[in-house]
Amino acid sequence: MMSQSAYAQAGVDIEAGDRAVELMKAHVARTRRPEVLGGLGGFAGFFDASAFKSYRHPVLATSTDGVGTKVAIAQAMDVHDTIGFDLLGMLVDDLVVSGAEPLFVTDYIACGRVVPERIAAIVKGIAAACETAGCALLGGETAEHPGLLESDEYDIAGATTGVVERDEILGAERIEAGDVVLAMASSGMHSNGYSLVRHVLLHQAKMSLEGHVDELGRTLGEELLVPTHVYAKDVLEMIAATKHAAGIHAMSHITGGGLANNLARVVPDHLGVTIDRSTWTPPAIFQLVQQVGQVSQADIEATLNQGVGMVAILPEDSVEAAQQVLSARGVESWLAGQVGDSTAEHARVTMVGEHPRA
């Protein structure tokens, strides 16, 4: 049997892993919900399903994702306690568009070398984002992969589970002609399109992450590391507040593929959505990428969120109540389009107009 010292010689430090667990325990504890059983360190996490007895017909929803190449920015900046918000945004906000409440999250961190303080910082961010979303960080895994990853490299991924009443699941079948599209502002680039952004700004233009960019009002690295906004509680409160009106019909989380492609995923075949670009101005970072890289409008819109992180499709009667909730929670929103009968065979979402100049 291989001894621990021999394992350490192969590049795996079990003691460092144990120290990392100790450092992260306080962060994980802050995410605890009443349904969570046991503590950190077991082989599995436990969530008391008897809580579902209060539901008429509970349906479980699940989502899994990672952060992508944004981790390269965190590593280059040596800032690791915000990337967890990017992970949670990719997880719980994919889940919440169905109307499901996220209950718990598990994470996976692969690294070339376990640095306890760095792993604890990553988990600190994940835990803080779980608090924002109202879900528990139920467990996770840290794997040391010497030889596959450099000593300062890591990647993170996770999964989340939520619950929703079956007759309250949001989706395409609820959408009707005459509905409107309510856009919610992103906090920045969120966690998609970073391969394009890094190629354009860092490799082609040779810009420095430490360099101050006047148009951004901060360094490029600070801009690119802005955490993803976690919309889970915003959306759940909005859904609850509009039930007395006509409610929310469907939602779309704007991630990889951009606004049109993600919105098309929830639009039924017989309807079409028209989005008016003139209703908002993309933040400076999106304009910078497009100008520096001479990226076409079609390519930029198919890659980046362009300042829209989430959209709701809803009847006009629900707009006022929805915007009141979002405004109270500090989320900027605006009417960006409308649903009508489909006019083109494959154009479920049509972009029209031009963005105002900044």
Side-chain angles (χ1 to χ4, degrees), residues 138-210:
L138 198 57
E141 174 71 11
T142 301
E144 200 168 23
H145 291 165
L148 293 180
L149 295 170
E150 297 296 328
S151 61
D152 289 332
E153 289 182 338
Y154 62 83
D155 195 13
I156 64 175
T160 185
T161 298
V163 62
V164 59
E165 293 281 12
R166 182 170 181 173
D167 60 2
E168 295 180 3
I169 296 175
L170 305 181
E173 65 279 358
R174 293 176 178 258
I175 299 176
E176 301 174 351
D179 284 351
V180 295
V181 178
L182 183 65
M184 294 166 233
S186 67
S187 55
M189 303 202 50
H190 285 185
S191 191
N192 297 104
Y194 273 76
S195 293
L196 171 67
V197 172
R198 290 167 56 242
H199 176 71
V200 168
L201 300 183
L202 302 184
H203 302 310
Q204 284 188 342
K206 306 297 183 184
M207 295 177 68
S208 167
L209 291 174
E210 292 77 25

Side-chain angles (χ1 to χ4, degrees), residues 199-262:
H199 176 71
V200 168
L201 300 183
L202 302 184
H203 302 310
Q204 284 188 342
K206 306 297 183 184
M207 295 177 68
S208 167
L209 291 174
E210 292 77 25
H212 186 274
V213 181
D214 291 341
E215 302 99 298
L216 304 177
R218 52 186 155 196
T219 69
L220 178 61
E222 289 170 337
E223 177 68 33
L224 296 183
L225 209 55
V226 169
T228 298
H229 182 83
V230 177
Y231 297 92
K233 282 189 175 180
D234 308 325
V235 166
L236 290 174
E237 286 195 19
M238 180 182 66
I239 292 171
T242 56
K243 282 184 178 179
H244 70 280
I248 306 295
H249 286 169
M251 299 196 66
S252 181
H253 184 203
I254 311 307
T255 55
L259 175 57
N261 289 330
N262 281 285

Side-chain angles (χ1 to χ4, degrees), residues 261-322:
N261 289 330
N262 281 285
L263 187 52
R265 295 166 66 179
V266 297
V267 178
D269 292 340
H270 66 286
L271 296 175
V273 174
T274 300
I275 298 294
D276 185 355
R277 297 187 188 96
S278 70
T279 59
W280 85 98
T281 301
I285 182 61
F286 300 98
Q287 299 178 57
L288 181 68
V289 173
Q290 186 169 12
Q291 291 166 5
V292 171
Q294 297 184 325
V295 182
S296 70
Q297 189 68 29
D299 281 346
I300 203 80
E301 289 182 341
T303 308
L304 305 180
N305 69 56
Q306 291 291 87
V308 180
M310 182 78 76
V311 297
I313 301 178
L314 67 170
E316 287 194 69
D317 290 348
S318 295
V319 171
E320 182 178 359

Side-chain angles (χ1 to χ4, degrees), residues 10-25:
V12 177
D13 190 341
I14 294 176
E15 291 183 359
D18 291 339
R19 290 197 303 275
V21 171
E22 288 302 314
L23 289 173
M24 70 177 70
K25 278 185 176 179

